[in-house]
Amino acid sequence: MKIVFLHHANVCKGGIERMLTTKANLLAEQMGWEVVLLTYEQNGEPFPYPLSSKVRCVDLGVRLYSAYKAPLLTRYFKKRKLRRQLMEAIRDFLASQKADIIVCTDKDAHELNALFKAHTTEKLLIEAHTGMVDHEMQAQQTNNHVRRSIAKNDLWRLKKVVSCFDVLIALTADDARCWQPYVRTVVIPNSLPQYPDQPADLSVEKKHVIAVGRLDYQKGQDLLLTAWKKVEKQHPDWHLDIFGDGNEKDSLNAQRSTLNLQTVSLHSATTDIYSEYMKSDLLVCSSRWEAFGLVIIEAMSCGIPIVSFDCDNGPRNIIQDGEDGLLARNNDTDDLADKIICLIENKEVRQAMGQQAHLHAVRFKEESILMRYVHLYEQL
């Protein structure tokens, strides 16, 4: 079988890039399939994760991002020209390949439309690494009427073009239901990069709470700092460590100073996050919305319980409330603080939930998740 994975660029050390590399390596090495990673904005940058020599990499050299550097009045026309170039480049490439399946990991309506118009007999799949809720929130979170109108129009285009594809792979059952009116959906969650045989020892109280994620509006670290004010007042000997980079770092530091928080540390993103989970007693997810929540299953695999907002729609599809973690009312910082305090003050409950978290995370082990992809590809 010959399979082509289309992703605009494999540059960031993110979940999409890690999953893509892992799948490509497995299919090439273990299944013996012919695998191509097709990009169009790689621009000579190295891949962020180790890639098998059996996986072929091709970059089409169509830099769509360059349109945003153009003056506002000419940007629209440059975008149209570049999208046309992308469609032609994909068409020329596919004509010489005779691939069986093409998997697209981007969900931009224009790029998906270019792929659909360029393909012939190949089966077309979309991997929805971001949920429909991400697109809906983009339209809701701005007060700019023009931007809101553009976001709504983009979502309308996306719903229209996905109906042309054979399958959309969603990360959760909730997200799959959102897409089902438009396209056939299959649920395959993210997999764990590793599953520690020995979970964290929660019998030894470390008095550390961890939060992990890029520093932006979606991840809600500002809500977490507000909640932590209440936690710190009652438990000043406990510490909160936030790991991540992003455009809200300065504002979060300012908020920490305004709230006079003494037990909060902001750290840059680390490639050794598992060792940080092991040093912690629990993880907090304060996201306003989440398509999945990779950090949740990572922390669970390390045997630490989770406190999370019950946001749309990832956490509730992973956390079994009261068994391996606690769900707080969405955006309710008082309730989030109370749930954190509950686990701080109940060591035995924390330990029991950590044990259950480690056991429940088994379902996300890499081997079983990747074979679900193989089964789907073979069906198609």
Side-chain angles (χ1 to χ4, degrees):
M1 187 181 294
K2 185 170 187 175
I3 186 166
V4 175
F5 290 97
L6 176 63
H7 187 57
H8 67 101
N10 290 291
V11 178
C12 301
K13 252 192 173 175
I16 296 176
E17 290 77 12
R18 180 182 62 77
M19 285 294 299
L20 184 55
T21 304
T22 303
K23 277 185 290 186
N25 289 343
L26 169 78
L27 297 176
E29 295 282 352
Q30 297 186 28
M31 303 299 296
W33 294 358
E34 188 175 351
V35 181
V36 180
L37 292 189
L38 182 63
T39 57
Y40 48 89
E41 294 180 327
Q42 192 69 24
N43 204 25
E45 294 293 325
F47 275 54
Y49 298 102
L51 195 63
S52 168
S53 60
K54 295 182 179 180
V55 176
R56 187 157 64 98
C57 301
V58 178
D59 186 62
L60 299 177
V62 182
R63 313 289 184 242
L64 292 184
Y65 62 79
S66 64
Y68 294 94
K69 299 178 181 179
L72 187 61
L73 292 176
T74 60
R75 190 178 301 169
Y76 170 79
F77 298 100
K78 187 163 186 179
K79 282 183 183 177
R80 285 179 61 101
K81 180 181 178 181
L82 287 168
R83 286 167 181 154
R84 190 163 53 248
Q85 288 178 6
L86 178 62
M87 183 186 67
E88 293 169 355
I90 294 174
R91 177 182 292 156
D92 291 345
F93 175 79
L94 294 179
S96 65
Q97 296 303 305
K98 296 183 179 178
D100 298 295
I101 292 174
I102 305 170
V103 182
C104 188
T105 57
D106 294 312
K107 287 218 314 301
D108 179 275
H110 298 287
E111 276 75 277
L112 290 174
N113 189 52
L115 173 58
F116 173 71
K117 289 182 176 179
H119 96 294
T120 52
T121 60
E122 303 91 349
K123 295 292 184 182
L124 296 180
L125 280 73
I126 304 170
E127 291 186 1
H129 291 277
T130 55
M132 188 179 287
V133 64
D134 292 85
H135 301 278
E136 292 172 342
M137 290 303 296
Q138 286 178 23
Q140 294 177 21
Q141 71 181 75
T142 177
N143 293 321
N144 186 301
H145 295 296
V146 174
R147 289 181 179 175
R148 179 174 292 184
S149 177
I150 291 172
K152 287 182 177 180
N153 186 58
D154 286 344
L155 180 55
W156 175 81
R157 287 176 177 271
L158 182 59
K159 290 175 179 177
K160 185 177 179 181
V161 74
V162 297
S163 65
C164 302
F165 280 62
D166 294 287
V167 174
L168 181 143
I169 303 171
L171 295 175
T172 67
D174 282 351
D175 191 44
R177 281 189 283 271
C178 294
W179 295 105
Q180 280 169 0
Y182 313 101
V183 62
R184 176 192 167 193
T185 61
V186 173
V187 178
I188 303 179
N190 278 331
S191 66
L192 286 163
Q194 54 183 289
Y195 181 83
D197 293 329
Q198 293 297 323
D201 183 4
L202 295 188
S203 66
V204 179
E205 199 167 63
K206 307 163 190 79
K207 297 188 177 181
H208 274 261
V209 175
I210 188 172
V212 183
R214 67 183 180 275
L215 308 181
D216 66 9
Y217 177 80
Q218 179 199 341
K219 299 301 182 180
Q221 288 93 350
D222 57 320
L223 301 176
L224 176 54
L225 292 185
T226 300
W228 191 258
K229 181 67 176 177
K230 184 176 182 179
V231 177
E232 184 178 274
K233 185 177 181 179
Q234 296 189 34
H235 295 280
D237 54 337
W238 279 69
H239 201 92
L240 171 64
D241 292 292
I242 300 175
F243 288 85
D245 300 308
N247 54 20
E248 290 202 357
K249 187 171 185 177
D250 290 342
S251 64
L252 290 171
N253 275 318
Q255 183 185 4
R256 179 177 59 175
S257 297
T258 301
L259 293 173
N260 194 28
L261 294 172
Q262 303 298 311
T263 58
V264 177
S265 298
L266 273 71
H267 310 271
S268 295
T270 174
T271 55
D272 191 20
I273 193 62
Y274 270 71
S275 67
E276 301 300 334
Y277 292 136
M278 291 292 189
K279 300 173 189 173
S280 306
D281 297 279
L282 62 109
L283 174 128
V284 179
C285 174
S286 56
S287 296
R288 287 178 165 89
W289 72 92
E290 275 290 348
F292 184 72
L294 183 59
V295 301
I296 293 176
I297 63 171
E298 287 177 345
M300 287 174 64
S301 74
C302 293
I304 64 175
I306 315 298
V307 175
S308 173
F309 279 137
D310 186 15
C311 61
D312 294 332
N313 51 30
R316 70 172 70 104
N317 284 264
I318 302 172
I319 299 165
Q320 297 182 40
D321 190 26
E323 292 187 30
D324 51 26
L326 297 173
L327 292 171
R329 290 186 295 273
N330 199 25
N331 292 334
D332 187 333
T333 56
D334 276 333
D335 195 37
L336 185 68
D338 289 342
K339 295 294 195 296
I340 296 171
I341 292 168
C342 175
L343 289 189
I344 287 176
E345 294 179 348
N346 294 277
K347 183 178 179 180
E348 289 184 0
V349 172
R350 193 168 68 241
Q351 286 181 267
M353 284 189 175
Q355 291 172 357
Q356 288 301 308
H358 183 66
L359 293 173
H360 292 169
V362 168
R363 68 191 191 273
F364 300 108
K365 288 183 75 170
E366 199 167 74
E367 309 83 57
S368 59
I369 297 296
L370 291 175
M371 290 314 297
R372 289 167 68 174
Y373 279 102
V374 170
H375 181 64
L376 173 62
Y377 300 150
E378 289 179 334
Q379 275 188 324
L380 291 171

